[in-house]
Amino acid sequence: MSELLGLSVAGQLRGLAEGRFSAVELAEASLARVKAHAGLGAFLAVDEDRSLEQARAADAARAAGTAAPLAGVPIAHKDIFVTDFARTGLPSTAGSKMLAGYKSPFDATVVARLGPGEPGRGPGAGAVTIGKLNCDEFAMGSANENSAFGPVLNPWDRTRVPGGSSGGSAAAVAARLVAAATGTDTGGSIRQPAAFCGITGIKPTYGVCSRYGMIAFASSLDQAGPMARSAEDCALLLSAMAGFDERDATSAQRSAPDYAALMRTARDGASAGRPLQGLRIGLPKEFFPAALAADVHGAVRGALAELEKLGATLVDVSLPRTELAIPVYYIIAPAEASSNLSRFDGVKFGHRAPQHGELIDL
Amino acid sequence: MSLNPTDVSRIAHLARLEISAPEAAQMLEQLNGFFGIVEQMSAVDTHGVEPLYTPLSAVQDVQLRLRDDAVTESDTREANQASAPAVEAGLFLVPRVIE
């Protein structure tokens, strides 16, 4: 593996800034590794020429002193985000044959903000798009076995699932094909595959990232988020992804903070040895049922001990309605999915039977 | 609430799904199991609980957003219709809907 791909997003940015390697070299390393590990099933589409074109533009911007915050960092998008076909040459399928052949005329807001930006809406962060990532069909699934284009395998053990629905994103990051990727989470679709593949993923608060151009599953729960190998890398991506977008009616009306800078800012009263001094972490007792697997419980307890050592205070709390979360989810999510998927009726896009008589035959 | 085999056949027909008798029996069991999960909600007294429109209202004042009634988007009809199966004079073509 090229040592460039062992670097974090932050590490790649440092190397690019110091001129130790170019965005083109990074993109070439990533594209080669994507090809070498095609058997994972993580990627659905790449367009090498367009990716290298973006990388050359990033190098030129850096040489001119106008590099955007993520200029030249290779990333990939879950194929639930639409990508402008004319710009990227990449399809947008949501892991479904229902959308095979669809050519999106625009970029999702998250895609534009991480990449080239949009005319009249400000510059983007300049990341290079390597390709589109496999996922469960319309983001419905939790093992990435429900993609019309085949399953994704867990790179740590190919006999196991990577989780889902953002399984392609999690596998691609864990296998070092890219240092970071986008995912979406409705009922665990970033957090669960991130856990299965041993990486870091965040489902931001609803409204933080625009849903414009994100193929909808359950609109009141869907949220975009970053997936990478560290919290710092997720913070770097999230700062570029977040922020108000008037094209999403539920977008939060606040600007995106610089999450990475906030992470590096020392807390009041904190010391070098105890950087989390003053931070209180609630442990909902309902999340630790007797049925919790011993190894999971052990890993969580281990992490909590580490946080405590770093100065955090652990506080037992109760969320007494937790048991209702699943019943509520199973009303809201399928009902909204039914509404959202009814648009795929074959009128504006799709396969049309040659011998259709009435609407039902479409 | 629970479904019977006739309900399952009717739903399958509406969804244009062809299912065998054993599949229908299995689906009936799964659907009724699902209703069992959902019924846990009816045990909760929601009287007087304010609807939560967005979790953001916990941290900031959230109001329905209105915008000026002005044209903000350019004409992208051609690009939007490029993937359509049948188009004529800028309109999507569909088969006859009303008899």
Side-chain angles (χ1 to χ4, degrees), chain A residues 18-30:
Chain A
E18 291 164 10
R20 280 188 277 124
F21 44 80
S22 68
V24 168
E25 286 173 281
L26 268 177
E28 280 171 345
S30 178

Side-chain angles (χ1 to χ4, degrees), chain A residues 234-284:
Chain A
C234 283
L236 287 167
L237 256 74
L238 189 55
S239 297
M241 296 164 72
F244 176 65
D245 178 14
E246 76 274 8
R247 292 167 298 183
D248 171 0
T250 58
S251 177
Q253 295 180 60
R254 47 181 188 177
S255 52
D258 184 342
Y259 296 104
L262 287 173
M263 279 179 74
R264 290 189 289 263
T265 308
R267 303 179 59 81
D268 281 345
S271 59
R274 293 172 70 80
L276 300 184
Q277 188 73 41
L279 184 71
R280 295 195 311 148
I281 300 174
L283 308 182

Side-chain angles (χ1 to χ4, degrees), chain A residues 108-134:
Chain A
T109 297
V110 160
V111 170
R113 285 185 177 174
L114 282 169
E118 279 176 276
R121 294 185 198 276
V128 171
T129 301
I130 293 299
K132 301 296 284 288
L133 295 160
N134 205 347

